[in-house]
C-alpha cells in the first residue's frame, strides 16, 4: 500500500469537477432523465455566471474604462457581451470543449490527462502538464474572489432600496460569508436540494425584468448586430479595449460548464445552457442596456451605478435583493465545494500533501469537507472584503484568473485538435488563432487591472503553482532516493523467512513503489525481529482516468513463504478506502480480518543535502509541507487502533 498519495504517473489528470457542488452524482447515469439532470445543473453549475449580471454591465460604465453613456456606447457594450457569451461560452466551451472529455470528466486537467495519453512522451508533454497545473492554481485565486464579489454585489442592492443602509453592507456581507464557511462542515445535501428551485426562480425573475425593459425600448435589439461592437472599437479603440476587462465578467464561470460535465453529462448541460440559462442572461443584459439607453443622460449616469436592481420597481427591489443574495450564496457554495474537490484530486495525483478530509454524506462520496482549505478561504475572503470594501473595487481583482485559465484552455484545445482529433494543422491553426485572439484580448485587458488589485489572484496562483510543483518534484526525488537503496522483495523474503520469528496475524506494509522493500518492513525486522504469518506489501496506484471498475481494482502476486505483493487501483475521482479495497481483494491467502491485521506506515524525515535536486528554498518548502501533511491513516481510512508508524530519514 502506498505510504503517500502520489501516483507513479508523470501527468496530472484532472482539474476535476472544478465547481463540484453539493449533491452531485458521480456520473450522469443513475437512471436520471436528461431533463432532471438539466434542472440539477441549473442549481449547481450556473451560479457563478448566473450572478454576473449584478456587476458585469455596471462595471463597463463605472469601471476603469469610464465609457460615455449614450446610445452608441450602450449598444456597443451590450453587443460585446452578447458576442462574448456566444463565442467563449456557447461555442468554445459548450460546443467544442465539451466534446473533449476524459471518460466523461471535464476540466483543464481532465483535458491534460486526455492529451497526455497521446503526447505524454513527446518533448512538449511536460509543458502541457505545467499549463494544466497553472490553470488549476489560478482557480484558487478565483475561489477567493468569487464569494466576496458575489455576496457584496447582492448586499449592495440594499443601498438602492435605502441609501441609509450603506454602513450595514459590509457587516451583513461578512456575517453571510462567515455563516457560509461555518456551514461547510455540516454538509450541503439538504441545502443543495433547494439550489435548483431557487436558481430557476432567480433566472426567470431576471429574464422577466429584462424583457419588460426590452418591451419598452426594443431599439436595444440592434445590439445583436456585431457592427455595433466593431464600431465601438473603431470609435474608441483604447476605451473599448479597457471595456473588455469588464465585459469578460459576463462570462466568468464558463469553465465551470466544462468542469462539471462529468456530473451531469454533455447533453443535459447543453440543454440547460441553450434552453434556459443563456436566454435568461441575455434578456437581463439587454434589459439593463434598454433601461440605460432609454433614460435622459443625467438619470442614465445615476442608473448605471447599479442598473441590475433598478430594473425592478421600488416595491420589488427588497425582494430582488433577497433573491439575488440567495443566488450569490449558492454561487459561492459551488466555488467552495469546487475548491475542496480540486484539492482532493491534487492530493490523489501527487501535487499536494495529504490533508484531513471529512465526508459529509453517507451516499455521495463527492460531498467532502477539507478544514484547512475551508478556513484558509474564509480568512482570505474576509481580508478581501475588508480591504476592497465594495464589489466595484473587487472587480478590478476579478477576471484575470478566469481569463488566464480560459487562455490556457485555448492552447490545450489546439493540442487537442492536432494530437488527439488528428486535425491537419492548417485546419486547426485558424480556429485556435481565432479563439486565442478573443481570449488573449480579454486576458490582456485584464492585465491593466494588476495595479488596482489584479495582482492578488496572480500572486495566489503563483504561490499555489509553486507549492503544487514543489510537492510533486520533491516526492519524485524522494522516491528516486529510496529506490536507489531498495532491496528486491524476492531476495528479502527468502532471507527473512528463517531469520525472524513468525507471529500470528497479518501485517500490511505500505509502499509507494511496486518494487523493493518498504523501509517500515526493514525497520520492523531490524528492531522487533519478528514477522507476521502473512506479510502483504500493498501499493495504492491512482490512474489517470476518473474511475477504475471494481473488477480491475485488485492485483496480487504470491511471493511464497507468506509474502504477498498487492496493488489497489483507483481513479482520481475515487476515494482511496483501503479497508474496503482489502475486502474486495480477499485473495492474499484468505480474507482480511481487521481485528487481526496491523498496518505499518513509513514517515520520512527530510535531511538537507548537497545532492542535485531542488534549490534549497524549495527543499525547505517541501520539508515544511512534509511535516504538516496528514497521516496516511486518515487519508486511507485505516482503523486507528491497528496502525504502527515507523520513521526514516531521506536526503534529496
Amino acid at each position: 500500500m502506498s505510504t503517500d498519495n502520489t501516483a507513479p504517473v508523470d501527468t496530472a489528470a484532472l482539474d476535476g469537477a472544478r465547481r463540484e457542488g453539493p449533491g452531485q452524482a458521480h456520473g450522469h447515469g443513475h437512471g436520471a432523465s436528461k431533463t432532471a439532470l438539466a434542472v440539477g445543473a441549473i442549481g449547481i453549475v450556473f451560479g457563478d455566471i448566473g450572478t454576473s449580471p449584478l456587476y458585469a454591465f455596471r462595471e463597463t460604465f463605472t469601471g476603469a474604462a469610464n465609457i460615455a453613456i449614450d446610445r452608441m456606447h450602450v449598444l456597443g457594450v451590450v453587443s460585446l457581451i452578447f458576442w462574448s457569451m456566444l463565442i467563449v461560452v456557447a461555442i468554445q466551451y459548450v460546443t467544442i470543449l465539451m466534446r473533449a472529455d476524459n471518460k466523461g470528466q471535464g476540466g483543464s486537467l481532465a483535458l491534460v490527462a486526455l492529451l497526455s495519453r497521446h503526447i505524454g512522451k513527446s518533448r512538449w508533454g511536460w509543458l502541457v502538464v505545467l499549463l494544466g497545473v497553472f490553470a488549476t492554481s489560478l482557480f484558487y485565486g478565483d475561489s477567493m474572489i468569487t464569494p466576496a464579489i458575489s455576496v457584496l454585489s447582492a448586499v449592495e442592492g440594499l443601498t438602492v432600496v435605502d441609501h441609509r443602509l450603506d454602513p450595514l453592507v459590509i457587516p451583513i456581507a461578512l456575517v453571510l460569508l462567515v455563516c457560509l464557511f461555518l456551514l461547510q462542515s455540516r454538509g450541503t445535501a439538504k441545502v443543495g436540494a433547494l439550489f435548483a428551485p431557487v436558481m430557476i426562480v432567480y433566472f426567470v425573475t431576471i429574464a422577466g425584468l429584462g424583457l419588460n425593459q426590452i418591451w419598452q425600448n426594443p431599439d436595444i435589439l440592434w445590439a445583436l448586430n456585431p457592427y455595433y461592437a466593431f464600431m465601438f472599437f473603431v470609435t474608441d479603440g483604447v476605451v473599448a479595449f479597457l471595456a473588455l476587462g469588464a465585459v469578460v465578467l459576463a462570462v466568468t464561470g464558463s469553465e465551470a460548464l466544462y468542469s462539471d460535465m462529468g456530473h451531469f453529462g454533455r447533453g443535459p448541460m447543453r440543454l440547460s445552457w441553450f434552453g434556459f440559462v443563456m436566454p435568461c442572461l441575455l434578456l437581463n443584459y439587454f434589459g439593463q442596456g434598454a433601461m440605460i439607453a432609454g433614460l435622459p443622460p443625467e438619470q442614465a449616469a445615476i442608473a448605471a451605478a447599479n442598473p441590475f436592481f433598478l430594473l425592478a420597481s421600488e416595491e420589488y427591489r427588497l425582494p430582488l435583493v433577497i433573491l439575488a443574495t440567495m443566488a450569490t450564496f449558492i454561487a459561492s457554495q459551488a466555488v467552495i465545494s469546487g475548491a475542496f474537490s480540486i484539492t482532493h484530486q491534487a492530493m490523489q495525483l501527487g501535487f499536494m500533501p495529504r490533508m484531513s478530509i471529512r465526508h459529509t454524506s453517507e451516499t455521495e462520496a463527492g460531498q467532502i469537507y477539507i478544514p484547512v482549505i475551508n478556513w484558509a478561504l474564509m480568512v482570505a475572503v474576509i481580508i478581501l472584503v475588508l480591504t476592497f470594501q465594495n464589489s466595484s473595487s473587487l472587480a478590478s481583482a476579478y477576471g484575470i484568473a478566469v481569463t488566464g485559465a480560459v487562455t490556457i484552455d485555448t492552447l490545450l484545445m489546439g493540442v487537442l485538435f492536432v494530437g488527439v482529433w488528428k486535425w491537419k494543422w492548417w485546419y486547426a491553426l485558424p480556429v485556435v488563432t481565432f479563439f486565442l485572439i478573443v481570449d488573449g484580448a480579454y486576458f490582456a485587458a485584464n492585465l491593466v487591472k494588476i495595479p488596482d488589485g489584479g495582482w492578488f489572484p496572480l500572486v495566489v496562483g503563483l504561490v499555489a503553482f509553486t507549492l503544487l510543483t514543489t510537492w510533486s518534484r520533491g516526492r519524485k526525488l524522494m522516491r528516486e532516493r529510496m529506490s536507489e537503496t531498495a532491496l528486491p522483495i524476492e531476495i528479502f523474503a527468502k532471507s527473512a523467512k528463517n531469520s525472524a520469528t513468525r507471529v500470528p496475524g497479518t501485517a500490511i506494509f505500505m509502499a509507494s513503489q511496486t518494487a523493493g522493500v518498504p523501509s517500515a518492513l526493514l525497520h520492523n525486522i531490524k528492531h522487533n525481529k519478528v514477522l507476521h504469518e502473512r506479510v502483504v506489501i500493498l501499493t495504492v496506484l491512482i490512474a489517470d482516468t476518473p474511475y477504475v471498475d471494481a473488477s480491475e481494482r485488485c492485483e496480487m502476486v504470491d511471493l511464497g513463504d507468506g509474502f504477498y505483493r498487492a496493488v489497489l487501483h483507483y481513479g482520481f475521482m475515487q476515494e482511496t478506502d483501503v479497508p474496503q479495497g482489502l475486502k474486495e481483494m480477499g485473495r492474499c491467502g484468505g480474507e482480511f480480518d481487521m481485528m487481526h491485521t496491523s498496518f505499518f506506515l513509513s514517515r520520512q524525515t527530510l535531511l538537507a543535502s548537497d545532492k542535485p535536486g531542488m534549490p534549497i528554498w524549495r527543499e525547505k518548502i517541501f520539508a515544511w509541507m512534509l511535516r504538516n501533511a496528514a497521516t496516511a491513516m486518515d487519508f486511507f481510512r485505516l482503523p486507528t487502533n491497528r496502525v504502527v508508524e515507523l520513521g526514516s530519514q531521506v536526503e534529496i
Side-chain angles (χ1 to χ4, degrees):
M1 174 159 50
S2 176
T3 56
D4 64 352
N5 51 316
T6 55
V9 292
D10 294 328
T11 62
L14 177 73
D15 168 336
R18 177 193 161 239
R19 305 266 176 151
E20 181 177 6
Q24 294 175 4
H26 287 291
H28 43 86
H30 302 284
S33 69
K34 185 176 181 179
T35 303
L37 288 167
V39 171
I42 292 171
I44 299 296
V45 180
F46 298 101
D48 191 351
I49 195 169
T51 53
S52 296
L54 273 74
Y55 47 83
F57 184 83
R58 176 194 73 196
E59 290 304 315
T60 56
F61 290 100
T62 61
N66 195 24
I67 302 171
I69 304 176
D70 53 38
R71 179 181 180 276
M72 190 273 289
H73 287 97
V74 170
L75 287 174
V77 167
V78 175
S79 186
L80 276 176
I81 290 175
F82 170 73
W83 286 99
S84 298
M85 198 170 290
L86 185 65
I87 294 171
V88 176
V89 187
I91 298 177
Q92 181 175 354
Y93 277 93
V94 179
T95 302
I96 298 177
L97 280 176
M98 276 193 180
R99 291 182 57 210
D101 66 287
N102 184 0
K103 294 191 176 180
Q105 296 297 320
S108 296
L109 289 181
L111 183 57
V112 167
L114 181 67
L115 299 176
S116 296
R117 286 202 294 272
H118 292 81
I119 66 160
K121 295 183 179 179
S122 71
R123 60 176 179 171
W124 300 109
W126 63 273
L127 182 58
V128 169
V129 174
L130 285 183
L131 284 173
V133 173
F134 192 64
T136 302
S137 302
L138 288 174
F139 167 64
Y140 284 103
D142 183 24
S143 64
M144 295 173 184
I145 298 175
T146 296
I149 191 173
S150 298
V151 173
L152 257 181
S153 61
V155 178
E156 283 170 352
L158 290 173
T159 62
V160 178
V161 177
D162 188 338
H163 68 88
R164 292 173 297 179
L165 297 175
D166 183 66
L168 298 178
V169 169
I170 291 180
I172 292 174
L174 288 175
V175 169
L176 289 172
L177 288 166
V178 170
C179 289
L180 176 64
F181 286 101
L182 291 177
L183 286 173
Q184 299 306 311
S185 62
R186 299 180 179 272
T188 52
K190 293 181 180 178
V191 180
L194 300 174
F195 282 8
V198 170
M199 292 306 297
I200 288 173
V201 170
Y202 168 78
F203 280 120
V204 170
T205 300
I206 67 172
L209 292 172
L211 188 60
N212 178 53
Q213 295 294 331
I214 295 170
W215 182 264
Q216 297 179 45
N217 188 10
D219 187 58
I220 194 65
L221 294 177
W222 283 108
L224 292 168
N225 190 337
Y227 167 81
Y228 290 95
F230 176 75
M231 288 306 299
F232 185 16
F233 277 92
V234 171
T235 307
D236 301 283
V238 175
V239 172
F241 173 75
L242 293 176
L244 289 178
V247 168
V248 77
L249 297 177
V251 299
T252 55
S254 56
E255 72 281 9
L257 314 186
Y258 179 37
S259 299
D260 276 331
M261 179 174 61
H263 301 285
F264 298 100
R266 183 185 299 124
M269 294 280 287
R270 287 175 172 169
L271 177 61
S272 297
W273 174 251
F274 288 113
F276 184 70
V277 176
M278 183 178 177
C280 290
L281 290 176
L282 289 176
L283 284 172
N284 189 264
Y285 282 120
F286 274 76
Q288 291 188 48
M291 179 184 68
I292 297 296
L295 292 173
E298 298 80 9
Q299 294 182 24
I302 297 173
N306 216 327
F308 178 85
F309 293 103
L310 291 174
L311 289 175
S313 56
E314 189 172 351
E315 64 269 24
Y316 292 112
R317 284 174 191 163
L318 182 58
L320 181 60
V321 170
I322 295 172
L323 180 61
T325 302
M326 294 173 67
T328 57
F329 201 85
I330 292 170
S332 302
Q333 171 61 61
V335 175
I336 296 167
S337 297
F340 296 156
S341 176
I342 199 174
T343 301
H344 178 250
Q345 292 145 17
M347 284 189 277
Q348 291 284 58
L349 294 166
F351 285 100
M352 271 195 182
R354 289 183 298 264
M355 298 181 189
S356 176
I357 298 177
R358 300 179 192 172
H359 293 263
T360 58
S361 172
E362 296 179 357
T363 57
E364 296 294 338
Q367 292 184 24
I368 59 175
Y369 167 66
I370 304 178
V372 172
I373 299 299
N374 187 65
W375 303 128
L377 286 178
M378 187 182 78
V379 171
V381 168
I382 291 174
I383 291 174
L384 282 171
V385 171
L386 293 176
T387 302
F388 288 89
Q389 296 286 308
N390 58 70
S391 60
S392 291
S393 298
L394 272 170
S396 298
Y398 200 35
I400 196 165
V402 175
T403 53
V406 170
T407 304
I408 290 173
D409 284 347
T410 303
L411 295 172
L412 296 178
M413 188 172 69
V415 182
L416 171 79
F417 289 160
V418 178
V420 180
W421 292 351
K422 305 303 180 184
W423 287 17
K424 300 297 184 183
W425 68 267
W426 55 83
Y427 291 158
L429 185 61
V431 178
V432 174
T433 301
F434 171 74
F435 284 113
L436 206 54
I437 290 173
V438 174
D439 299 334
Y442 286 128
F443 182 66
N446 274 277
L447 291 177
V448 180
K449 299 180 181 181
I450 289 179
D452 298 321
W455 55 267
F456 177 80
L458 287 180
V459 169
V460 172
L462 287 172
V463 170
F465 181 77
T466 301
L467 293 176
L468 292 173
T469 53
T470 297
W471 180 259
S472 177
R473 176 64 177 164
R475 291 306 298 178
K476 184 173 184 289
L477 290 172
M478 284 188 68
R479 289 197 302 270
E480 290 175 353
R481 299 293 183 261
M482 293 169 68
S483 63
E484 289 172 0
T485 57
L487 179 68
I489 184 61
E490 294 80 7
I491 297 175
F492 176 84
K494 291 178 180 178
S495 63
K497 66 178 181 179
N498 297 320
S499 61
T501 304
R502 305 299 286 252
V503 296
T506 299
I508 297 180
F509 292 87
M510 305 168 75
S512 58
Q513 308 270 353
T514 55
V517 180
S519 60
L521 178 52
L522 294 173
H523 285 298
N524 180 62
I525 197 170
K526 176 181 178 181
H527 296 288
N528 298 326
K529 298 180 173 57
V530 296
L531 285 173
H532 288 68
E533 288 177 336
R534 180 169 56 166
V535 177
V536 180
I537 300 172
L538 185 58
T539 302
V540 173
L541 296 183
I542 308 300
D544 62 353
T545 54
Y547 303 100
V548 171
D549 293 334
S551 60
E552 301 174 357
R553 173 92 62 239
C554 310
E555 228 182 293
M556 186 274 291
V557 177
D558 188 343
L559 303 172
D561 301 308
F563 285 84
Y564 300 86
R565 181 174 288 284
V567 179
L568 291 175
H569 296 273
Y570 292 92
F572 55 74
M573 292 288 288
Q574 292 175 303
E575 180 187 357
T576 49
D577 188 337
V578 167
Q580 180 61 38
L582 292 174
K583 287 181 182 179
E584 296 174 5
M585 183 175 288
R587 290 177 293 157
C588 288
E591 295 183 357
F592 290 90
D593 181 359
M594 288 298 109
M595 293 305 296
H596 297 90
T597 299
S598 298
F599 294 88
F600 289 81
L601 316 181
S602 296
R603 190 171 187 89
Q604 291 83 22
T605 299
L606 187 65
L607 297 179
S609 168
D610 56 1
K611 293 182 179 180
M614 290 193 299
I616 189 65
W617 64 271
R618 291 189 75 185
E619 284 193 15
K620 290 182 178 179
I621 292 175
F622 177 68
W624 171 77
M625 296 173 76
L626 190 64
R627 286 194 304 270
N628 290 278
T631 66
M633 179 180 66
D634 293 330
F635 189 79
F636 293 118
R637 305 192 73 180
L638 305 179
T640 55
N641 59 344
R642 308 301 304 172
V643 175
V644 178
E645 192 171 67
L646 299 170
S648 61
Q649 296 179 329
V650 180
E651 291 184 348
I652 64 169

